[in-house]
Amino acid sequence: MTRNFVKIFVILCLVLDAATGVAQTRPQAPVRMLPADTVISLVTFHPGSDVYELEGHTALRVTTPEGVDFAANWGMFDFNSPNFVYRFVKGETDYSMGVAPWSYTEMAYRGQGRRITEHVLDMTPAQKRRLLELLEENARPENRVYRYNYVLDNCATRPLEMLEKALGDSIAVPQPEGEPAKMQTFRQMMTYYHRNYPWYQLGIDLALGSGIDKPLTARQKAYAPAALDTQIANATVNGKPLTASTVVVNDVAADNATLPATPWLLTPGVVFTLIFLLIAWATWRDWRRKRPTRWVDSVLFGTLGVTGCLLTFLIFVSQHYATSPNWLYLWINPLGLLVAVTVWIKRAEKLLIWLQIAIFALIICGICAWPFTGQHFNPALLPLLLTTMLRSGLYIGIRMRTRKNSK
């Protein structure tokens, strides 16, 4: 019996690496007998300091009396894989299942100062045996890689689905405990978990459209490991509690490892408000002298244009979830690049005016349509929106005043 579990442990911990040759010599169906006191747990590692750790991480832990003790997780990715950045932006985010000895896993997360909670699951020996078979099958080289989706298919949803396959039934999860009342959509949940990282959340609000603003079921909220941690404690299968007991492995605050909140002076809203005030002053000066400051518009509209090119890629090329429709595209689009160039070309004055009219009109259309789009608007963007309208309006106003005076 011990020999069988050693085989399981070795196979899983090596993650069937082809370099070891284990994949070719693996014994078939090594899980035949299982001690009744084998422990299966769902473990939550609470938020860390990096942006991809802000909602926590989930793993399954298997412990046997013979000393086999490992953690399986579905959050492995390789920065060094070919074209990683391009493929990540495009949405071809391939993650994989990984296995490591529990002692190493615990030490790593403990060293980061992260809270660790372990929910011991109430499963029959047959269900535990089935879970181990599923883990071994998933760890095969041809099965361990999957197309990651940050809200639909990730390190929290995978183990939950794996447990359901082993249990042979669905798991009913309640609403997360202690969540703010406004955590009813993916975006609201992200905003809560990213509250100390406003620039990161701003990037999400720019990149993702109305698809992440729809009301969620309790099961959909389990995409976030930190939320699943409170849900699994009260989860049921056919009305029977799934969790037998809960152990706090590293008893520190849930946000102990996250960075402190961004100083308010450095938050996007304050920074963009200061930019608006400076450009508003420059606009007033330009209106009085009847001549726009070209470098201001080149920088402003050039930045909007480059960002618009990124949104174009996300909306029309990327396979990421919820990048389209994104109604910010009415304002932030590649037209800004044309403005950034034509402000320096005297012969393109008419084209520049028409571009500014188009930009101003699109913004007005977006403002009128926004209540019907269902998409959340990050308030920090309001000063930039007003800045864009101010500069576009300046060109239109100067043009109209020049034409009036020439008559």
Side-chain angles (χ1 to χ4, degrees):
M1 183 184 303
T2 302
R3 183 174 300 173
N4 281 335
F5 280 104
V6 170
K7 289 179 180 177
I8 299 170
F9 182 63
V10 171
I11 291 169
L12 289 174
C13 286
L14 291 176
V15 200
L16 303 182
D17 193 336
T20 65
V22 173
Q24 288 75 24
T25 61
R26 180 180 59 254
Q28 295 297 315
V31 186
R32 295 188 177 89
M33 303 180 67
L34 196 69
D37 49 355
T38 293
V39 177
I40 306 291
S41 308
L42 186 141
V43 181
T44 301
F45 307 100
H46 285 260
S49 59
D50 290 326
V51 292
Y52 57 84
E53 299 172 333
L54 294 180
E55 291 164 14
H57 187 44
T58 302
L60 290 177
R61 181 185 180 186
V62 178
T63 311
T64 73
E66 283 81 3
V68 175
D69 193 0
F70 64 86
N73 80 93
W74 287 260
M76 309 297 291
F77 59 91
D78 183 8
F79 280 120
N80 297 318
S81 60
N83 304 312
F84 177 84
V85 175
Y86 172 77
R87 294 177 68 247
F88 185 87
V89 173
K90 188 179 178 183
E92 297 177 352
T93 46
D94 289 339
Y95 277 45
S96 67
M97 178 221 190
V99 179
W102 170 252
S103 59
Y104 295 167
T105 304
E106 179 187 357
M107 181 173 60
Y109 286 98
R110 220 181 247 278
Q112 295 177 13
R114 296 168 68 169
R115 181 181 178 87
I116 305 173
T117 55
E118 179 178 3
H119 301 280
V120 178
L121 305 179
D122 187 5
M123 302 173 67
T124 66
Q127 291 169 339
K128 296 175 184 178
R129 182 169 59 251
R130 175 59 178 155
L131 179 63
L132 283 179
E133 291 171 348
L134 290 168
L135 290 177
E136 184 196 3
E137 179 68 20
N138 196 177
R140 295 173 184 264
E142 65 271 22
N143 297 333
R144 66 186 183 216
V145 177
Y146 71 99
R147 184 54 51 86
Y148 174 84
N149 182 299
Y150 40 83
V151 293
L152 301 180
D153 194 356
N154 62 21
C155 70
T157 63
R158 284 264 161 169
L160 199 57
E161 292 171 359
M162 188 72 67
L163 286 173
E164 287 182 325
K165 290 179 181 178
L167 293 167
D169 207 340
S170 60
I171 299 173
V173 294
Q175 294 289 341
E177 290 184 355
E179 68 169 15
K182 290 186 177 181
M183 284 176 58
Q184 301 303 320
T185 68
F186 284 131
R187 196 187 305 271
Q188 289 173 346
M189 291 187 70
M190 293 174 186
T191 301
Y192 173 74
Y193 290 117
H194 307 161
R195 58 191 179 276
N196 287 3
Y197 299 66
W199 289 99
Y200 175 53
Q201 184 58 40
L202 177 68
I204 290 175
D205 290 338
L206 283 171
L208 302 184
S210 57
I212 62 170
D213 291 304
K214 299 175 182 177
L216 302 179
T217 63
R219 178 57 181 259
Q220 288 174 316
K221 292 180 181 181
Y223 90 93
L228 178 59
D229 181 61
T230 66
Q231 292 175 291
I232 204 71
N234 299 305
T236 59
V237 179
N238 276 329
K240 178 184 175 183
L242 174 62
T243 300
S245 63
T246 298
V247 179
V248 180
V249 179
N250 192 31
D251 193 6
V252 295
D255 60 352
N256 181 67
T258 59
L259 297 178
T262 300
W264 71 274
L265 278 173
L266 300 178
T267 57
V270 173
V271 172
F272 293 158
T273 298
L274 292 175
I275 292 174
F276 167 74
L277 293 175
L278 288 172
I279 295 183
W281 172 81
T283 303
W284 173 78
R285 185 193 61 177
D286 292 347
W287 175 257
R288 292 188 63 185
R289 67 178 188 173
K290 302 177 184 179
R291 188 175 72 254
T293 304
R294 291 181 294 179
W295 70 264
V296 170
D297 298 307
S298 191
V299 171
L300 173 64
F301 288 99
T303 302
L304 290 174
V306 170
T307 308
C309 289
L310 177 60
L311 290 190
T312 301
F313 181 85
L314 290 174
I315 292 170
F316 298 106
V317 179
S318 173
Q319 299 175 29
H320 275 300
Y321 174 75
T323 55
S324 180
N326 186 345
W327 297 99
L328 285 175
Y329 198 63
L330 289 172
W331 163 38
I332 304 175
N333 54 61
L335 284 179
L337 286 179
L338 293 177
V339 173
V341 173
T342 54
V343 294
W344 300 100
I345 305 175
K346 191 171 183 63
R347 293 182 179 180
E349 183 178 353
K350 285 188 177 180
L351 174 60
L352 174 60
I353 296 301
W354 281 110
L355 286 172
Q356 295 290 20
I357 292 173
I359 290 172
F360 195 89
L362 285 172
I363 291 176
I364 295 299
C365 289
I367 292 174
C368 293
W370 201 266
F372 307 100
T373 64
Q375 183 171 333
H376 170 77
F377 184 83
N378 190 319
L381 292 172
L382 182 59
L384 285 185
L385 178 67
L386 295 176
T387 302
T388 309
M389 295 181 67
L390 197 61
R391 294 307 294 182
S392 292
L394 173 68
Y395 280 84
I396 298 170
I398 290 177
R399 177 66 172 178
M400 292 177 64
R401 188 166 68 173
T402 302
R403 293 184 62 181
K404 182 179 179 181
N405 293 338
S406 64
K407 289 181 179 180

